[in-house]
Amino acid sequence: MKHTLLSIAFCLFLLAGRSQSYSAASIPEELKKNAAVVTLLNNTDVEVEDVDKAVIKIHKVFTVMNEEGKDALMFQQFCNKYISLEDAEIKMFDKNGKQMARYKKKELLNTAVGEGLIEDGYMTYYRLSTATYPVTVEFDYEVKRKSTLTIPGFYFIHPKEAVVESNYSIKVPADINIRYKPKLTSLAPEVTAESKYKVYKWAVKNLPAIEDEDGSASDDSNFPHVEIAADQFSYYGNRGDQSSWKSLGAWINGLYDGLDELPADRQQFFRDLVKDAPNDVEKAKRIYNYLQQNFRYVSIQLGIGGLKPFSASFTDQKKYGDCKALSNYMKAALKTVGIKSYVAIINAEYDAEPVDPDFPSSQFDHVILCMPQPKDSIWLECTSNTTDFGTLGTFTENRNALLITEEGGVLVPTPRSKSSENILSTRNTIEMADDLSGLTETAVTSKGEYRRIITSVLKDKRDDQKEFLVEFMGYKEPDDFLFENAPGSQDSESKLKLVVRKLPEFSAGDKYFVNPRINRIISATLPSATDRKLDYYFRFPFEKKDTTVIKLPSDFRADVLPKEKTLSTAYSTYQSKSWYNEKENAIYTSTSLVLNRHKIPARDYNSVKNFFDEVMKDDAQRVVIKKTGAVNTEKKPF
């Protein structure tokens, strides 16, 4: 009995100790500052048993401090026949460390992933809920993989997360070479030998939260981490080598081998399509336009389908495919008319950084096509129905792409984004009536990203179009409007008509204050520049041009116009000028805003922030018009 009581007391002591350690009050005050989540302990243990077998065990305890950190309350793990969640347990504790909930693997939820075109797998997930903060959560789970193409890196800190302790270890057979590279950190591993294995261990402690600044990169690459890769790997039963870009590309080329063949009748179709084209570029344009008009994009990202495409003949039959399948199809079609091209794997998104040329590994998530030319190569985005021939955009420009050739992989840069590829030009003509209402007509010319945006909006519902005009393009709220493609024009031209009940913003006596433009040249304020540490990303570089003509009623004249404004930085320029045409009794305002680069280094952000603040101030200037029976000849400071 005495021993039983001692055992019970000892167990209660252990439970009390655990509860105390999970109490939010135990978190050091210095780690609470700016933290939405505080990781108390994160142990990641990776064991590579062979090139086709790895086990990952994770034990993580973290406190969600407030609503801002609620996304951390989601557990999720992708699974299929090559990736399995062996065991999982989730616990949640209140701010005092008292257990509130516990869930085992069988209680977690599953949902299918993908569009059903291949066996994509499923996601095991569970979202914890709480009415109060802080709460502490414990994740304990084990994952088995039949693949070592990618190995989890040591991402030990995330936006608005403080870390008390985080540890990472990887155990690998001595005959498998592991490479690692610290990014934004000097963290080095402790390396030991254990029988026939090598063991690498990293550890960090007491890291304060890093602010997630608005406009910074959306992934964790901007934060300190260690990348890890194995030279020899297996991916869904396919063994390969990624000790060099050449060997990785050779392996991927094997996945594509024989898949770029079309049936004889379809080969003849493409030869007929281009038979009178004067050169290879024109041939490629015709085939690309055919692809855009007749095929649709679907997403297949997981399993072997994440790297191996459908055959060109299958894609031709189904008239759909993902980035790999459509790029492979375009390659096959070009091949039938004697044009050489290469698929290129690349990492996508406007805020993604180029892959590290000194660290060969599978860092890609997208496929495009490259047509080598005597001077500059032609790059094709085969998933878009609106992208112009030979244009990529910031989704894949400014990167390093891995060309997949017969001799292996070749890492090459894609073009740099140019402002001249993304143009939005508006010419507004405003007829102001005697009651100060207005009818406006706008000719809109768009190119590149703006063209894609407007083409999409023109298909939207009327309420969504109105929201776009007011919020995105900065037009004055209309009482009625018409927004459509210009008759007989290309997709790059559209027209807009607005009915505005009252044009002046306010009046004083016989003077009325009117916006010199019916739309704003920019519609959003940039985030604060105070002590910026992370680079800022615009969606794309651009050129915005506007000419607005305000035709005044016969008994009104221009009284005061805004002064001419010129601004510039190393990344941007702005010009605005207003003048009065007495003969037409009309006020003209011409404005130009150019952003030459979409990525602004943190060190230069302050100057760009100030630039756009000044643009917004100028955008808020007013034209003063005066009601008078005669022309006012008094000179004003135009």
Side-chain angles (χ1 to χ4, degrees), residues 104-124:
K104 302 290 286 184
K105 179 188 172 184
K106 63 181 180 181
E107 299 172 86
L108 307 185
L109 305 175
N110 297 297
T111 184
V113 174
E115 301 192 28
L117 304 176
I118 62 171
E119 186 183 344
D120 285 334
Y122 60 94
M123 190 72 72
T124 297

Side-chain angles (χ1 to χ4, degrees), residues 463-475:
D463 287 347
D464 294 331
Q465 289 182 343
K466 184 176 181 179
E467 181 180 359
F468 169 80
L469 293 171
V470 175
E471 298 298 328
F472 182 81
M473 295 189 71
Y475 275 91

Side-chain angles (χ1 to χ4, degrees), residues 6 66 94 100 131 163 174 238 240 248 277 350 355 378 380 473 488 498:
L6 286 174
N66 49 50
D94 66 15
M100 301 162 57
V163 178
N238 295 267
L248 178 59
Y350 74 96
V355 298
I378 295 174
L380 300 176
M473 295 189 71
L498 303 175

Side-chain angles (χ1 to χ4, degrees), residues 47-156:
E47 181 173 352
V48 177
E49 299 178 10
D50 203 340
V51 291
D52 59 355
K53 190 175 183 181
V55 179
I56 304 165
K57 296 179 180 179
I58 294 177
H59 176 225
K60 183 175 182 179
V61 183
F62 58 95
T63 299
V64 180
M65 304 298 294
N66 49 50
E67 181 82 9
E68 201 172 6
K70 66 179 181 180
D71 287 348
L73 296 174
M74 169 69 87
F75 172 87
Q76 54 185 357
Q77 172 62 50
F78 171 72
C79 302
N80 62 14
K81 61 183 180 181
Y82 290 96
I83 303 173
S84 60
L85 180 64
E86 293 298 298
D87 196 13
E89 183 178 60
I90 301 172
K91 297 178 183 178
M92 186 162 65
F93 305 83
D94 66 15
K95 65 179 182 180
N96 298 315
K98 181 180 178 181
Q99 185 172 306
M100 301 162 57
R102 179 186 179 190
Y103 305 95
K104 302 290 286 184
K105 179 188 172 184
K106 63 181 180 181
E107 299 172 86
L108 307 185
L109 305 175
N110 297 297
T111 184
V113 174
E115 301 192 28
L117 304 176
I118 62 171
E119 186 183 344
D120 285 334
Y122 60 94
M123 190 72 72
T124 297
Y125 70 97
Y126 200 88
R127 177 174 288 280
L128 298 168
S129 61
T130 179
T132 60
Y133 296 93
V135 292
T136 297
V137 176
E138 181 179 19
F139 288 163
D140 242 322
Y141 61 102
E142 178 180 318
V143 176
K144 287 188 176 180
R145 290 186 180 184
K146 296 180 180 179
S147 171
T148 51
L149 174 60
T150 59
I151 293 176
F154 185 26
Y155 287 81
F156 51 85

Side-chain angles (χ1 to χ4, degrees), residues 179-350:
R179 289 176 287 114
Y180 58 88
K181 189 163 188 177
K183 296 294 182 74
L184 304 175
T185 178
S186 57
L187 198 63
E190 173 191 328
V191 184
T192 58
E194 186 178 304
S195 185
K196 296 181 180 180
Y197 291 88
K198 293 176 292 185
V199 181
Y200 301 77
K201 294 182 179 180
W202 290 264
V204 295
K205 289 186 177 182
N206 299 320
L207 302 180
I210 301 176
E211 186 177 354
D212 184 19
E213 298 170 320
D214 290 342
S216 60
S218 55
D219 62 20
D220 291 337
S221 62
N222 257 345
F223 292 82
H225 65 280
V226 179
E227 293 182 357
I228 300 172
D231 283 350
Q232 297 77 41
F233 66 87
S234 175
Y235 186 74
Y236 297 88
N238 295 267
R239 293 200 171 203
D241 182 290
Q242 60 179 346
S243 58
S244 69
W245 292 118
K246 183 177 181 179
S247 62
L248 178 59
W251 178 78
I252 294 174
N253 184 59
L255 298 180
Y256 280 73
D257 189 37
L259 298 179
D260 61 348
E261 299 292 338
L262 287 168
D265 61 326
R266 297 302 289 162
Q267 292 185 39
Q268 188 59 48
F269 168 82
F270 285 112
R271 286 192 284 267
D272 291 340
L273 182 67
V274 304
K275 62 183 177 182
D276 58 346
N279 52 53
D280 284 353
V281 173
E282 180 58 32
K283 290 178 183 179
K285 280 184 180 179
R286 292 188 186 184
I287 295 174
Y288 185 72
N289 289 337
Y290 172 80
L291 179 76
Q292 286 187 311
Q293 294 167 14
N294 293 277
F295 289 74
R296 66 183 178 91
Y297 168 76
V298 297
S299 175
I300 303 171
Q301 301 171 341
L302 307 168
I304 191 62
L307 290 176
K308 186 174 183 177
F310 294 146
S311 68
S313 58
F314 179 87
T315 304
D316 186 72
Q317 293 170 11
K318 299 298 183 181
K319 297 296 185 290
Y320 61 65
D322 64 354
C323 59
K324 302 175 295 299
L326 295 176
S327 296
N328 181 61
Y329 182 79
M330 183 72 191
K331 176 176 181 280
L334 291 173
K335 178 182 174 182
T336 66
V337 299
I339 299 176
K340 187 73 173 179
S341 63
Y342 299 104
V343 294
I345 59 175
I346 197 166
N347 60 324
E349 269 306 335
Y350 74 96

Side-chain angles (χ1 to χ4, degrees), residues 296-571:
R296 66 183 178 91
Y297 168 76
V298 297
S299 175
I300 303 171
Q301 301 171 341
L302 307 168
I304 191 62
L307 290 176
K308 186 174 183 177
F310 294 146
S311 68
S313 58
F314 179 87
T315 304
D316 186 72
Q317 293 170 11
K318 299 298 183 181
K319 297 296 185 290
Y320 61 65
D322 64 354
C323 59
K324 302 175 295 299
L326 295 176
S327 296
N328 181 61
Y329 182 79
M330 183 72 191
K331 176 176 181 280
L334 291 173
K335 178 182 174 182
T336 66
V337 299
I339 299 176
K340 187 73 173 179
S341 63
Y342 299 104
V343 294
I345 59 175
I346 197 166
N347 60 324
E349 269 306 335
Y350 74 96
D351 56 357
E353 289 297 302
V355 298
D356 186 345
D358 299 324
F359 194 74
S361 58
S362 181
Q363 306 172 45
F364 309 100
D365 58 8
H366 191 54
V367 177
I368 55 179
L369 194 69
C370 178
M371 282 177 52
Q373 298 292 293
K375 292 185 178 180
D376 294 327
S377 296
I378 295 174
W379 296 87
L380 300 176
E381 173 54 69
C382 298
T383 63
S384 172
N385 298 117
T386 57
T387 298
D388 294 329
F389 175 84
T391 300
L392 291 179
T394 54
F395 190 62
T396 49
E397 287 186 332
N398 320 299
R399 309 292 156 73
N400 292 321
L402 187 63
L403 289 189
I404 308 304
T405 77
E406 296 85 348
E407 291 75 34
V410 181
L411 200 66
V412 297
T414 59
R416 178 173 290 279
S417 299
K418 300 176 182 177
S419 62
S420 59
E421 294 172 348
N422 306 301
I423 296 176
L424 180 62
S425 177
T426 52
R427 183 177 177 86
N428 303 295
T429 302
I430 305 170
E431 294 277 357
M432 184 181 287
D434 292 337
D435 63 356
L436 304 180
S437 63
L439 295 176
T440 78
E441 289 196 15
T442 302
V444 181
T445 303
S446 55
K447 181 181 177 182
E449 296 294 336
Y450 285 119
R451 178 191 171 195
R452 285 190 277 279
I453 292 170
I454 289 180
T455 298
S456 176
V457 171
L458 288 171
K459 299 174 184 177
D460 284 346
K461 295 179 181 179
R462 186 174 171 83
D463 287 347
D464 294 331
Q465 289 182 343
K466 184 176 181 179
E467 181 180 359
F468 169 80
L469 293 171
V470 175
E471 298 298 328
F472 182 81
M473 295 189 71
Y475 275 91
K476 193 176 180 69
E477 181 100 20
D479 294 285
D480 198 6
F481 73 95
L482 175 67
F483 192 28
E484 61 185 5
N485 282 320
S489 70
Q490 301 296 320
D491 289 345
S492 60
E493 297 180 9
S494 51
K495 68 174 184 178
L496 171 65
K497 293 184 178 181
L498 303 175
V499 176
V500 180
R501 186 174 303 171
K502 187 179 180 181
L503 285 170
E505 298 295 307
F506 55 91
S507 62
D510 59 355
K511 294 184 179 182
Y512 296 81
F513 296 78
V514 182
N515 288 328
R517 290 174 291 271
I518 193 69
N519 56 311
R520 296 190 301 273
I521 201 73
I522 57 172
S523 53
T525 303
L526 296 187
S528 171
T530 304
D531 197 25
R532 178 110 192 166
K533 295 180 177 63
L534 302 177
D535 297 339
Y536 181 87
Y537 293 84
F538 289 87
R539 297 291 302 194
F540 46 83
F542 60 80
E543 294 182 9
K544 298 181 78 171
K545 304 174 183 179
D546 177 77
T547 299
T548 297
V549 182
I550 304 175
K551 296 184 177 181
L552 302 176
S554 58
D555 56 344
F556 279 81
R557 297 293 183 270
D559 190 56
V560 179
L561 303 182
K563 293 181 179 180
E564 184 175 348
K565 190 80 169 181
T566 301
L567 301 166
S568 67
T569 72
Y571 304 90

